[in-house]
Amino acid sequence: MEYAIATSGNQAIVTLKGKIYIQDACVIREEIINKIEAGYHRVLIKLAEVTYMDSAGLSMMVTLHKVSRKRHGSLVVTGVQGMVKELMQYTHVDQALRLEGTL
């Protein structure tokens, strides 16, 4: 799994690639929470190149959504497709998150 976090204004832009497993989700979650706590209250997560995500990845998304809202921010997820799209729909996580350009 590869990821990059860029910042612009009060926004953190997270690009994820590959397969997201529990160990990846834990690291990414903590880094993004650090960004949110540092003042980057708007988070954009790009999933166009993610081919697999386990339940820890879904949990990471929900947690980041809650943390950003608690800080009066927002979480936007883009590029959801394939198996990740199906998993989000099956678990109804797609209804809890703000998804753009997907589903």
Side-chain angles (χ1 to χ4, degrees):
M1 211 276 315
E2 296 177 39
Y3 70 97
I5 302 174
T7 56
S8 177
N10 70 339
Q11 183 172 5
I13 303 159
V14 183
T15 304
L16 304 175
K17 298 179 182 180
K19 298 177 180 180
I20 301 174
Y21 294 102
I22 188 168
Q23 62 271 21
D24 306 311
C26 292
V27 171
I28 296 165
R29 181 186 65 231
E30 292 309 311
E31 285 202 38
I32 297 172
I33 287 173
N34 288 339
K35 291 291 185 192
I36 293 169
E37 290 175 348
Y40 300 97
H41 299 151
R42 295 180 59 208
V43 179
L44 171 65
I45 299 180
K46 298 179 178 183
L47 297 181
E49 296 184 61
V50 173
T51 57
Y52 175 83
M53 178 183 294
D54 66 11
S55 61
L58 289 178
S59 176
M60 172 189 74
M61 295 293 183
V62 172
T63 298
L64 293 173
H65 171 70
K66 289 178 180 179
V67 171
S68 65
R69 285 186 55 138
K70 189 174 184 179
R71 297 285 185 149
H72 306 289
S74 63
L75 175 78
V76 177
V77 181
T78 65
V80 179
Q81 59 187 342
M83 177 269 163
V84 176
K85 174 182 170 182
E86 291 174 17
L87 182 62
M88 285 189 171
Q89 289 173 328
Y90 182 74
T91 59
H92 302 287
V93 169
D94 62 323
Q95 295 176 16
L97 301 178
R98 182 174 162 198
L99 305 177
E100 291 187 358
T102 58
L103 304 176

